[in-house]
Amino acid sequence: MEDILSILQTNEEKQIAIANKIKQVRKSKRVSQELLSKMSNVSFGSIKRFESTGEISLFSLLKICSALNINLKIDNPHPIQGKKIDFYNE
């Protein structure tokens, strides 16, 4: 997901990009939304909403990432330019 988050204009676009990346990882691991709900202890409705709108609490996002073995690396080499978030799928 190279530096896609810095290219996108709105926070909503960034949310959808993050949700799409996590959905892609979930599908590549052949994990259904229902199974991910059980694995992460995040409600099925929250996962469904997240994947369609990008809206989710930070706590739930972290639980989903943990269940899918996704590490979030937040790098901030230039505080004025904002943060870069990389996804690493283990």
Side-chain angles (χ1 to χ4, degrees):
M1 195 152 125
E2 292 186 23
D3 205 38
I4 188 101
L5 293 179
S6 65
I7 296 169
L8 300 173
Q9 297 294 315
T10 67
N11 287 334
E12 290 79 15
E13 289 174 324
K14 292 174 185 178
Q15 285 177 249
I16 293 294
I18 292 168
N20 286 339
K21 179 62 178 176
I22 292 174
K23 181 179 182 178
Q24 178 184 21
V25 170
R26 175 183 65 76
K27 286 185 168 190
S28 75
K29 294 184 177 206
R30 301 187 189 282
V31 174
S32 68
Q33 290 177 331
E34 192 171 316
L35 179 56
L36 179 57
S37 174
K38 292 175 184 174
M39 292 168 55
S40 64
N41 202 26
V42 173
S43 75
F44 173 74
S46 291
I47 291 170
K48 196 170 176 180
R49 182 180 61 250
F50 171 58
E51 289 188 357
S52 65
T53 69
E55 294 179 12
I56 196 162
S57 73
L58 177 59
F59 185 65
S60 292
L61 176 60
L62 293 174
K63 291 193 319 185
I64 289 169
C65 288
S66 178
L68 293 173
N69 285 328
I70 298 172
N71 289 325
L72 296 177
K73 177 185 174 192
I74 301 175
D75 189 321
N76 192 10
H78 307 287
I80 294 174
Q81 294 177 356
K83 293 187 165 104
K84 177 182 172 191
I85 301 175
D86 291 321
F87 293 88
Y88 297 96
N89 181 17
E90 298 179 344

